[in-house]
Structures are given as structure tokens and as C-alpha cells.
Amino acid sequence: MSASSFGQTSSFVQFEGGFIRNQGGFFKLYDGVVDIGAGYHIFLSRHLNGGLDFNMGFLNYTNTPARSNIYRPKLSLQYALHLSSKIALDPEIGLGYSFVRITNTEYLYASTQHGLNYAARLKVRWKSGRKLDYYLFGSYDYIYLDRDDSFTQLNSFRQIRLFAVGLGVNIKSGVYE
Amino acid sequence: MSKLFKSIAFGLLVLIMIGCSKENNSISLDQNYLQVADVVEYCQGSCNETADWEQSKTLVKGYLRDVGNDSVWQDNQEKRRFYLLDIRNGFSLEVRVDGDEDLIFSRLAGTVKSDLIFISGIANAVIAQEGSDCTKGVVLLVKNDKDIIINLE
């Protein structure tokens, strides 16, 4: 049953949390801590939905006051593959513009860098048939920071690669599957 | 409508591939004062080859590591070395003093943790061998106290 057949829009709000890891690059000595996010999506067809996501990743450099918070707003498209009446796979791609806030309170240092963010993720969703769907997700974010020679002159340090895994919930409204 | 979204999805994939292909690193070591992390990351290489940065004049800026730790500083002075720290990500660079030792260490002794240190030196390769693994890193050689500037005084 498609949303369009009812002439109304289905949508959902999602909330999620999980662990984040950085791969190499400028933050290679950092540990990932936690990733939290929220989003609002509208169904464009039975299988396709699009919306706005916002995730925040927190990294720290162990045993020091150095911290990095990565804010990742993005537009995303998600495709729903209905594997069974209970399980769906939701691959998603996104494009956004991220902000990386680096601080070290011991030296009163703070800097914000920013750049384009390409993202891909996969959700394994349990379809409850009710208002709430729960899911597991794995995501990959690639951020390419805008050039700022005072921050770094290395191209490899402008590239940030983040992996996150976690749990989330979709809160649905309107017509949905 | 779905054709439009397929096009958008394809466009995003192309953008991801373009973004992931940006890998080249090339910097000038002697034009401006570089961050410690840039120098440490750039000045690496294979043990079997001589890299372009070896024996190059190098300008670097960072914060003194271990400031306030007297025993570490005494050890550093005996070994005629100290470390510059990149406070943003924890990278550190060993600086070896090969010259005005007393002048350099007495100037550094008057600094505080928040002082930003600017150094002009020579990038020297050091080899670390562990079993069959060999890696090449960098230390900075500094000769004169005039090659060290504190807070661009």
C-alpha cells in the first residue's frame, strides 16, 4: 500500500545512539566515544524516503583534555528493502556540511573546521507494525575539510573518516509500512 | 519522480567517489611555520629510500611538552633534546640540540606551558627497527638559540 494512494504524506522521526570510531588521519591518536543523532524523513514512495539528519560524534584523546566534537547535518535519501513482514533493510546515502570543533582546555585552545560530508549507512529495521520501529545501524562518514593552511597543509589531514554503529528508533506518522 | 531520485542518488555516489580520491600530499617545509602534526606526518618514509624532506630546512611551531616536570627536563637537557607538542591531536616532534646548548635550554627554561615556540631547524631522518619492520621518522636538529622564537617575541 503506497502513501500516494492515500494522497497523504507518511513521515517518521528517528533517534539513535551508538559508538563512533575514527580511521587514521588527523585524529589517529583519538578514541571515539559516542555518536548520537536525530532525523526527520518523508516518504516519497513506498520504498523511498528523504529527509534531514543531524548527528554529533564525540572523540577524545585519552588522558588529555583534547576533545573533538563533529557535527554532521545532512540531507539523505533512504531506500526501504522489505525483506519480510518483520524485517527491512534501509540503505541510505547523504550529503551534508560538517563542523569539527577541536578544543584543548589546558591551553585554552579552540578551533572550528568545516567541510563537505558524504555519508552512507545501512539500517536493519524491525517492522513492528505499530508506531515505533527499532533498528540497528552502521554508518560511514567521509568529511573533506575546507582548505585552511593555518590548520593543516596536508591533504590527508583534511580527510576525516568516521564509522559508527548503534541502535535507533523510528517514530512514524501517517501511512507507513 | 523515481527517476529524479535515482539521478540524485547516482550524483551523490559520484561525489563520494570524487571525494575519496583526493589523496596527494605536498608541502613546503621552509616557507611558513608548520604545525607539528604536519611535519611529523609528512616526514615519514621507507627505510630503503632517501625522502625529499631529509636534511631540509624546516620551520615548525608547537608547544613545549613536559613543561613543569623538572625530572623530565633534566633528563632532556642531559640528552640535549626536547619535544614540541601539537595540542590539537597529541602529535609530538623530537628536537635535538646540536649547538648553543646552554643558551637554548636557559631560554626554554623561562617559558610557560602556554608559550608557542617557533623553531627553524633541519629535518633529520631516524630509523626505528623492530624485528623485520623498519620505519623512518623525523627529528629536528637545531643549532642556534636564534633559531628559536618564543611567541614571535
Side-chain angles (χ1 to χ4, degrees):
Chain A
M1 190 178 295
S2 72
S4 56
S5 68
F6 283 85
Q8 66 184 88
T9 302
S10 306
S11 64
F12 63 88
V13 175
Q14 65 183 23
F15 296 98
E16 62 190 30
F19 300 104
I20 191 168
R21 283 286 178 269
N22 163 71
Q23 183 200 27
F26 186 82
F27 295 110
K28 70 169 72 168
L29 299 180
Y30 276 68
D31 293 319
V33 182
V34 68
D35 186 65
I36 56 174
Y40 176 71
H41 283 230
I42 296 172
F43 275 94
L44 305 162
S45 70
R46 176 173 180 253
H47 291 286
L48 194 67
N49 65 76
L52 180 66
D53 293 332
F54 185 81
N55 283 74
M56 292 183 289
F58 301 95
L59 309 175
N60 71 20
Y61 180 34
T62 310
N63 297 326
T64 76
R67 299 283 181 272
S68 182
N69 301 335
I70 304 178
Y71 306 98
R72 315 193 303 278
K74 63 178 79 79
L75 291 167
S76 56
L77 279 176
Q78 183 175 294
Y79 191 84
L81 288 167
H82 300 285
L83 300 182
S84 72
S85 60
K86 287 292 181 189
I87 302 290
L89 271 184
D90 299 336
E92 181 179 319
I93 54 173
L95 178 66
Y97 195 79
S98 290
F99 297 85
V100 181
R101 177 80 172 164
I102 303 165
T103 58
N104 188 322
T105 52
E106 194 176 346
Y107 294 86
L108 301 176
Y109 173 84
S111 169
T112 302
Q113 301 296 316
H114 37 78
L116 275 177
N117 180 184
Y118 311 95
R121 62 161 46 205
L122 185 65
K123 290 158 69 169
V124 180
R125 178 165 49 94
W126 174 63
K127 297 190 289 185
S128 66
R130 297 177 187 165
K131 196 174 177 62
L132 302 183
D133 277 357
Y134 298 93
Y135 61 86
L136 295 166
F137 75 90
S139 70
Y140 171 73
D141 281 80
Y142 172 84
I143 301 168
Y144 190 64
L145 296 175
D146 296 340
R147 185 173 183 143
D148 177 356
D149 284 347
S150 67
F151 178 73
T152 182
Q153 295 192 20
L154 290 180
N155 202 37
S156 59
F157 275 174
R158 291 169 60 193
Q159 300 173 60
I160 299 171
R161 296 175 173 87
L162 301 169
F163 295 91
V165 292
L167 298 167
V169 60
N170 287 354
I171 304 169
K172 301 172 289 185
S173 63
V175 178
Y176 48 80
E177 184 171 7
Chain B
M1 187 76 135
S2 69
K3 206 171 184 177
L4 171 68
F5 287 108
K6 279 178 185 168
S7 301
I8 293 171
F10 179 73
L12 283 173
L13 280 173
V14 170
L15 282 172
I16 289 170
M17 286 189 288
I18 291 170
C20 293
S21 68
K22 295 169 180 169
E23 289 289 352
N24 63 313
N25 270 331
S26 181
I27 57 176
S28 298
L29 293 168
D30 61 348
Q31 297 300 309
N32 298 297
Y33 285 97
L34 299 171
Q35 301 279 4
V36 167
D38 280 8
V39 173
V40 173
E41 182 73 6
Y42 182 75
C43 297
Q44 298 178 22
S46 162
C47 292
N48 305 320
E49 297 169 4
T50 302
D52 61 344
W53 51 265
E54 291 183 41
Q55 301 303 315
S56 296
K57 182 184 176 188
T58 302
L59 304 178
V60 63
K61 61 183 175 184
Y63 293 83
L64 279 182
R65 207 178 78 182
D66 309 312
V67 170
N69 189 332
D70 292 341
S71 62
V72 171
W73 265 100
Q74 193 173 346
D75 186 50
N76 282 341
Q77 193 156 357
E78 284 167 8
K79 291 174 177 162
R80 295 194 297 178
R81 68 169 188 207
F82 58 90
Y83 292 89
L84 275 191
L85 175 68
D86 195 318
I87 59 169
R88 306 167 306 162
N89 63 359
F91 280 55
S92 60
L93 172 67
E94 182 178 340
V95 182
R96 291 183 182 168
V97 179
D98 183 23
D100 298 338
E101 180 189 332
D102 292 338
L103 273 173
I104 288 173
F105 277 100
S106 67
R107 281 190 67 205
L108 294 178
T111 63
V112 293
K113 185 179 256 186
S114 58
D115 286 333
L116 187 54
I117 313 294
F118 298 76
I119 299 180
S120 170
I122 301 295
N124 206 25
V126 286
I127 301 290
Q129 185 92 41
E130 199 172 296
S132 59
D133 293 332
C134 182
T135 54
K136 185 186 279 185
V138 63
V139 297
L140 197 68
L141 293 186
V142 60
K143 290 181 182 299
N144 300 310
D145 73 309
K146 291 190 177 82
D147 293 332
I148 298 179
I149 303 170
I150 299 166
N151 287 329
L152 280 175
E153 59 202 356

